[in-house]
Amino acid sequence: MTPHSSRRRFVDLSITLCNDVVSDPPFLKPEITYQTHAETVGELDMFFPGVTAEDTPDGAGFAAAEWVRLTTHNGTHLDAPYHYHPTMDAKDGEPKRAITIDEVPLEWCFQPGVKLDFRHFPDGYVVTARDVEDELARIGHDLQPLDIVLVNTAAGKALGEPNYVNRGCGMGYEATMYLTERGVRVTGTDAWSWDAPFSYTAEKVKETGDTSLIWEGHKAGRDIGYCHLEKLHNLEVLPGHGFTVSCFPHKIKGASAGWTRAVAIFED
């Protein structure tokens, strides 16, 4: 009997956290300070008084290290329902307290993936439920509970460009509810936000006075609690389905989000 063999292939869906690539508005950008092995010798002396760089192997010093200043929404991250609103699941009756990132069920974060290709939609376009339904039909996939649905937008190729935060389409309330009503609990986008860029929404609010348009996709979490990934990468190389997504968030007590190394896994 020939033993069964398979080859597992990984596709990195995360951006690289760094100082010199535009991935956030200026006031939210991360700051990374790097320390070389030689620069931490003073810290070594705190543990082993009197030891100098010359006493270390090859005289190289102690340990390379970094200091990082960032928010939980820098880099590729998973938003918890608490980020959108204090409560969730109002559609089921009495609203519940929105869960924080340390309370997100782990089973939500390791499930079959689905990719919706919306790169053809213009920047600022608000995706509808019909758009989602049409794309699912095009790729031949029937949504299953806990599928992780990733949205490929024009922002994916704009990472690092000065206007990155204003690129890509966004998911509206009805599109988000279309997914969550079918049991989806984790979604994702390669744009800066799950919703359309604020610059476009601000124009619509100014014209109509309708403030319910602000963050309508996020705020869908009031009715059905869900998580979404933001600032994904490499979605262009994914098929419509046939892979698994792993996106476990960092466990930060009471937080609205957690950083993740999101990965697509293929069993070839």
Side-chain angles (χ1 to χ4, degrees), residues 69-88:
R69 179 180 181 273
L70 74 170
T71 78
T72 52
H73 299 271
N74 287 128
T76 302
H77 62 277
L78 186 72
D79 283 343
Y82 176 64
H83 178 50
Y84 327 139
H85 203 70
T87 60
M88 67 181 202

Side-chain angles (χ1 to χ4, degrees), residues 23-185:
S23 59
D24 294 286
F27 75 98
L28 284 176
K29 66 176 294 186
E31 296 177 15
I32 308 171
T33 302
Y34 295 85
Q35 292 178 293
T36 66
H37 302 83
E39 291 170 335
T40 60
V41 171
E43 297 173 16
L44 177 64
D45 183 65
M46 295 181 66
F47 297 102
F48 301 98
V51 173
T52 66
E54 289 72 25
D55 297 324
T56 65
D58 301 323
F62 185 34
E66 296 75 40
W67 289 90
V68 183
R69 179 180 181 273
L70 74 170
T71 78
T72 52
H73 299 271
N74 287 128
T76 302
H77 62 277
L78 186 72
D79 283 343
Y82 176 64
H83 178 50
Y84 327 139
H85 203 70
T87 60
M88 67 181 202
D89 292 348
K91 191 173 185 295
D92 294 335
E94 187 68 22
K96 303 171 186 174
R97 179 185 65 83
I99 59 175
T100 53
I101 201 65
D102 50 320
E103 298 171 319
V104 171
L106 295 182
E107 59 266 27
W108 287 12
C109 305
F110 190 79
Q111 294 291 340
V114 180
K115 187 193 83 169
L116 307 181
D117 192 345
F118 291 152
R119 286 176 289 176
H120 56 286
F121 287 139
D123 296 341
Y125 178 78
V126 178
V127 174
T128 67
R130 179 60 184 270
D131 294 328
V132 173
E133 194 169 44
D134 288 347
E135 177 64 2
L136 288 169
R138 187 189 71 83
I139 65 175
H141 182 76
D142 293 323
L143 278 180
Q144 301 299 311
L146 296 186
D147 277 353
I148 295 178
V149 178
L150 310 179
V151 176
N152 193 179
T153 79
K157 288 295 188 181
L159 180 68
E161 295 180 3
N163 204 36
Y164 167 69
V165 298
N166 294 310
R167 295 296 308 277
C169 62
M171 299 294 282
Y173 174 85
E174 66 168 57
T176 304
M177 291 299 291
Y178 181 94
L179 298 173
T180 56
E181 285 173 344
R182 288 158 178 78
V184 172
R185 290 296 177 267

Side-chain angles (χ1 to χ4, degrees), residues 178-224:
Y178 181 94
L179 298 173
T180 56
E181 285 173 344
R182 288 158 178 78
V184 172
R185 290 296 177 267
V186 173
T187 65
T189 178
D190 51 14
W192 184 70
S193 175
W194 178 246
D195 277 83
F198 283 151
S199 58
Y200 293 92
T201 306
E203 286 297 317
K204 291 180 181 178
V205 172
K206 183 178 179 181
E207 292 170 5
T208 65
D210 185 0
T211 56
S212 70
L213 298 175
I214 299 173
W215 242 26
E216 61 174 294
H218 280 70
K219 288 294 187 179
R222 290 179 300 161
D223 292 328
I224 300 178

